[in-house]
Amino acid sequence: MNALAATNRNFRLASRLLGLDSKLEKSLLIPFREIKVECTIPKDDGTLASFVGFRVQHDNARGPMKGGIRYHPEVEPDEVNALAQLMTWKTAVANIPYGGAKGGIGCDPAELSVSELERLTRVFTQKIHDLIGVQTDVPAPDMGTGPQTMAWILDEYSKFHGYSPAVVTGKPIDLGGSLGRDAATGRGVLFATEALLEEHGKSVSGQRFVIQGFGNVGSWAAQLIHEKGGKIVAVSDITGAIKNSNGLDIPSLVKHSREHRGIKGFHGGDPIDPESILVEDCDVLVPAALGGVINRENANEIKAKFVVEAANHPTDPEADEILKKKGVVILPDIFANSGGVTVSYFEWVQNIQGFMWDEEKVNNELKTYMTQGFKDVKEMCKTHNCDLRMGAFTLAVNRVARATVLRGWEA
């Protein structure tokens, strides 16, 4: 089941539990606006190249729309749609005043020079500048984009609207980016895990963790869990997988991964088959790579007691059912990885105030939001007698539905 089908399914189950009016349910699913633009740029060799850019703005009942921009050869309208909708629910669970959006350009950033990427980003911004904005839609980086991309969007947008640092988040620190943004999703994963384990009378210290994916989220989560005394027994990334039952030396692994562009060849553990990473023996499994990795083929083999979804949509609905029967507790992605968008919100707030926070304040505020978020999800679980995924979805859908009705959607 792809991300769109799974998100729609979860939304429908949540609206059944909440007893939503069918007209309202339909209205919440349809995106507010879909934008598709042609971006033609001169390449470095003088030839012209055309690319298609998308922006799906899903819902703005609770505030400006928020979501990433990805540069990837397979930017598919369907996928962008699913991810925009997911952002609506994610911002609602985190209780930050945003709706969801997502966008991208169908291109392979590896095949474009830096100056071609800059021209492409500026043309895309020229095409959508009157449809995004500080109080309308605030883009952020995603796959294939980063702080530099945001800097170009900010500059191009500011030519039309005056200096507006709050129009994008995930900016370089020098242009109004927030301290703590880089580690935010990984740190949020730590806070979410702490809240979940505490609920079960445990703490991070002494638990055995397996982390699939060692990119930004996986590596930060590993470092922060390691600092709290968690024992990370296996890790994988695109280059391979390693395990050490006594716990990997994470600071050395991070250094190795930086120097060798991957964890392959690290001497502090034994190489294992990357396919088997999810079924390694551990207490907490953290999928922090791609979607759809836990499916009906491997769900029965999973030995972890807890699964913390640091990636988007790592667990298929069929696997969900299998794991539920086994008594495995799953902390859903729309809560577990919302640390990134929460600190993006802090960045936006700092830009609007024109007053920047120190890193300690950013991290403390994030902890407050994540801890409260977990309590809110648990409250919904009790009310509707459901698992954490449905608790998170009912919480989100309820917040968006209430805002929609209060604003007068039938008028």
Side-chain angles (χ1 to χ4, degrees):
M1 189 182 282
N2 68 9
L4 181 62
T7 306
N8 280 346
R9 175 179 177 276
N10 288 328
F11 168 75
R12 292 218 156 84
L13 288 169
S15 69
R16 294 281 172 288
L17 278 175
L18 292 163
L20 285 195
D21 169 18
S22 63
K23 294 194 290 296
L24 179 60
E25 180 181 334
K26 190 166 182 229
S27 154
L28 288 177
L29 267 185
I30 300 168
F32 167 77
R33 183 193 279 144
E34 295 188 31
I35 304 153
K36 187 176 176 186
V37 293
E38 176 228 16
C39 304
T40 301
I41 58 160
K43 302 265 300 243
D44 293 343
D45 62 10
T47 61
L48 288 179
S50 289
F51 303 92
V52 179
F54 299 96
R55 185 74 177 164
V56 174
Q57 299 174 331
H58 178 254
D59 189 276
N60 60 0
R62 298 180 62 256
M65 293 162 287
K66 186 96 195 71
I69 288 182
R70 52 177 57 182
Y71 288 2
H72 194 267
E74 278 110 43
V75 171
E76 242 284 299
D78 245 16
E79 188 190 22
V80 176
N81 229 314
L83 293 165
Q85 190 197 136
L86 204 56
M87 285 303 295
T88 297
W89 313 133
K90 191 179 286 187
T91 50
V93 169
N95 206 14
I96 54 181
Y98 288 143
K102 205 71 167 189
I105 300 178
C107 69
D108 185 350
E111 290 181 2
L112 296 169
S113 70
V114 173
S115 57
E116 287 167 344
L117 283 168
E118 177 172 355
R119 286 196 289 275
L120 181 57
T121 304
R122 289 182 183 278
V123 168
F124 183 51
T125 308
Q126 287 163 18
K127 297 277 170 103
I128 65 167
H129 76 89
D130 50 350
L131 299 167
I132 62 172
V134 178
Q135 303 295 343
T136 317
D137 177 5
V138 181
D142 201 313
M143 279 159 63
T145 57
Q148 181 59 69
T149 323
M150 298 304 108
W152 291 328
I153 296 176
L154 162 62
D155 183 71
E156 198 59 35
Y157 180 86
S158 297
K159 290 175 184 174
F160 296 95
H161 302 274
Y163 182 60
S164 318
V167 73
V168 286
T169 59
K171 298 181 292 295
I173 302 289
D174 293 334
L175 289 177
S178 177
L179 296 170
R181 175 66 190 89
D182 191 43
T185 311
R187 194 176 294 277
V189 168
L190 167 73
F191 292 150
T193 307
E194 285 182 324
L196 175 68
L197 290 173
E198 196 180 313
E199 174 81 16
H200 292 264
K202 300 172 161 62
S203 74
V204 168
S205 177
Q207 295 290 308
R208 294 165 310 138
F209 290 79
V210 165
I211 299 181
Q212 181 199 34
F214 210 66
N216 171 282
V217 181
S219 63
W220 273 112
Q223 287 173 75
L224 297 163
I225 287 166
H226 179 78
E227 280 169 23
K228 287 279 185 188
K231 196 198 263 186
I232 293 160
V233 293
V235 166
S236 73
D237 70 359
I238 329 166
T239 63
I242 45 167
K243 91 181 254 196
N244 180 340
S245 339
N246 298 318
L248 292 155
D249 176 354
I250 297 298
S252 307
L253 179 60
V254 170
K255 190 167 177 281
H256 174 93
S257 164
R258 249 183 231 135
E259 287 164 6
H260 299 89
R261 299 209 142 180
I263 63 174
K264 194 179 178 183
F266 180 67
H267 294 309
D270 306 316
I272 54 168
D273 176 14
E275 293 296 310
S276 73
I277 186 88
L278 297 167
V279 299
E280 285 297 324
D281 187 25
C282 64
D283 302 308
V284 185
L285 173 62
V286 183
L290 296 168
V293 292
I294 301 176
N295 46 44
R296 59 167 179 245
E297 273 77 60
N298 61 12
N300 273 314
E301 311 294 308
I302 285 178
K303 301 177 183 71
K305 303 172 194 66
F306 302 96
V307 175
V308 176
E309 297 189 331
N312 281 323
H313 185 60
T315 316
D316 262 4
E318 293 104 330
D320 243 352
E321 294 304 317
I322 297 168
L323 291 170
K324 200 150 87 177
K325 288 197 181 89
K326 287 177 62 174
V328 177
V329 177
I330 302 177
L331 196 60
D333 51 0
I334 63 166
F335 169 68
N337 66 28
S338 64
V341 70
T342 304
V343 175
S344 279
Y345 161 61
F346 298 162
E347 179 178 335
W348 180 78
V349 166
Q350 292 168 77
N351 294 153
I352 288 174
Q353 289 185 328
F355 181 81
M356 304 309 282
W357 304 347
D358 62 24
E359 193 163 346
E360 191 186 0
K361 178 166 166 76
V362 173
N363 294 341
N364 288 340
E365 291 286 346
L366 176 60
K367 183 161 193 173
T368 304
Y369 269 81
M370 296 297 295
T371 312
Q372 186 57 47
F374 185 74
K375 285 187 187 134
D376 294 345
V377 170
K378 283 303 290 186
E379 203 53 47
M380 285 308 251
C381 292
K382 286 197 190 85
T383 306
H384 297 287
N385 188 22
C386 60
D387 63 3
L388 288 165
R389 189 180 311 281
M390 271 304 112
F393 263 90
T394 48
L395 176 65
V397 173
N398 192 39
R399 279 179 175 157
V400 178
R402 280 171 48 189
T404 305
V405 171
L406 282 168
R407 288 183 63 165
W409 70 289
E410 288 170 307

